[in-house]
Amino acid sequence: MSQVDEGAPVGVALIGSGRMGAYHGGTLAQRLPGARLVAVADPAPGAAETLAASWGAPAAYIDAAAAFADPAVDAVVIAAPARFHAELIVAAARAGKAVFCEKPAALSLGDLDRAIDAVRAAGVVLQVGFNRRFAPDWAAARALLDQGTLGTPRLLRSVTRDPGGFDPSRVAADTIFNETLIHDFDTLRFLNPGAEAVEVYATADALVEPEWRDRGLLDTAVVTVTFDNGATGIAEACFQAAYGYDVRGEVFGSGGMATLGDGRRTGMVFSGPAGRAIDTARSDQELLAGAYVAELAAFVEAVRTGAAAPVGGEDARAALAVALAAARSVREHRPVRIAEVAK
């Protein structure tokens, strides 16, 4: 495992230079004093060099293995396409590098278990990018739960509505569960501490792009999750919201209710001849900017101190199991027990 000298910034390699990778690269280079972006890797010709130059990273590689072998690299941030995540985690762990991986950490439980085993064998940190845990509203609601103020959770809700503009030809089957709602599945667990999902029932359709329905696209879904403490969670998602990026949540417990998020850019409300209007966030990177920085700050601190990551492989596994159960529920038109998919 890489050792980080006390007081020195953690050297981080970014794997993947797409939309999310570029944002994480900016955080590592400019927004996080405890980290230093030392390398970028991307197989697309010129992509790594371009991003490395823009953020002042000294090294760029086509092959991620070269970044894992770089002695200046203490840790890696994986922002490659989801289908590559598990293999990249395994390779990074075997190279002794701490790993932050965007969600989902894998697309199958078997692949995720291999990744978790590799991380454990290497003794390195693994953190998964469930950023809502680090957003102020969500963290405050969890604090109320931990303090007992909200009492025992009874009903939970988590919502994700993307701003649209997606290319349906590039949306893989079950993306709405594996890559979108997986945030909500983790959120439901986060807001129901100590409880685990036992059964899932989901409905989904192509309502944004109905002409793609027969080709397997699902762009709108509602999922009911039953937990072993009796609480019920509802997760819903849609790939298009005309008003911007919308992420919200709610916890109703025996001691009260907490509501989280409202999509506003600011607290300002304009009142004029046409009525009242608020300005809403148009992207995840705008609405959750602070959370994206906070999750990487927590990862860097875990690398530096050797502490466990605040959201790790087992959290990723639990959320993925719900996603897989939801996809099966839609295909088979029935409730699916987590035990059926989590073998």
Side-chain angles (χ1 to χ4, degrees):
M1 178 177 178
S2 297
Q3 299 295 316
V4 181
D5 293 335
E6 186 176 354
V10 175
V12 183
L14 176 67
I15 313 301
S17 63
R19 188 185 73 91
M20 201 64 245
Y23 191 86
H24 285 322
T27 295
L28 294 165
Q30 295 189 333
R31 308 180 192 110
L32 204 57
R36 178 171 175 251
L37 182 64
V38 296
V40 179
D42 193 299
E49 289 85 351
T50 298
L51 188 62
S54 68
W55 292 126
Y61 304 104
I62 291 178
D63 188 352
F68 300 154
D70 188 332
V73 173
D74 304 305
V76 301
V77 169
I78 297 172
R83 64 187 182 276
F84 301 122
H85 286 183
E87 293 300 331
L88 288 168
I89 293 171
V90 170
R94 288 176 177 169
K97 310 302 182 182
V99 181
F100 177 97
C101 184
E102 268 300 335
K103 53 75 197 169
L107 293 174
S108 75
L109 292 177
D111 284 344
L112 183 50
D113 286 341
R114 287 193 304 105
I116 292 172
D117 288 345
V119 165
R120 287 175 177 163
V124 297
V125 171
L126 170 62
Q127 184 171 326
V128 180
F130 289 133
N131 55 67
R132 287 179 212 177
R133 293 180 178 230
F134 300 88
D137 288 10
W138 280 256
R142 176 57 186 260
L144 289 180
L145 287 160
D146 291 341
Q147 295 160 13
T149 305
L150 275 172
T152 302
R154 294 172 177 169
L155 297 171
L156 306 104
R157 187 173 182 232
S158 186
V159 173
T160 300
R161 296 173 186 164
D162 291 332
F166 65 99
D167 179 354
S169 69
R170 301 186 65 182
V171 180
D174 299 335
T175 291
I176 196 166
F177 302 116
N178 297 336
E179 300 191 45
T180 300
L181 277 163
I182 200 161
H183 272 302
D184 302 275
F185 301 148
D186 180 69
T187 294
L188 294 178
R189 290 185 68 245
F190 180 63
L191 297 176
N192 194 11
E196 295 296 342
V198 294
E199 187 174 87
V200 176
Y201 180 71
T203 60
D205 203 346
L207 302 181
V208 180
E209 295 283 352
E211 65 275 16
W212 284 80
R213 181 182 294 112
D214 293 340
R215 283 172 275 189
L217 175 68
L218 298 171
D219 55 39
T220 306
V222 177
V223 183
T224 301
V225 183
T226 303
F227 288 88
D228 58 8
N229 66 345
T232 298
I234 302 293
E236 66 166 85
C238 184
F239 285 172
Q240 183 184 68
Y243 52 88
Y245 186 68
D246 186 3
V247 170
R248 286 175 283 125
E250 180 180 290
V251 186
F252 172 70
S254 58
M257 179 179 71
T259 58
L260 332 170
D262 64 6
R264 300 184 186 207
R265 273 194 174 127
T266 71
M268 187 272 289
V269 177
F270 172 70
S271 298
R276 290 184 176 175
I278 64 171
D279 197 10
T280 54
R282 314 310 288 184
S283 74
D284 56 339
Q285 294 172 359
E286 179 183 11
L287 185 64
L288 296 170
Y292 280 127
V293 175
E295 66 179 356
L296 287 182
F299 170 64
V300 168
E301 184 64 15
V303 174
R304 184 180 304 285
T305 64
V311 49
E314 292 304 323
D315 297 305
R317 194 183 198 282
L320 181 59
V322 176
L324 296 173
R328 181 182 290 189
S329 177
V330 170
R331 288 194 300 271
E332 300 181 5
H333 306 285
R334 66 175 180 89
V336 174
R337 303 284 293 182
I338 291 295
E340 296 181 58
V341 300
K343 298 174 182 178

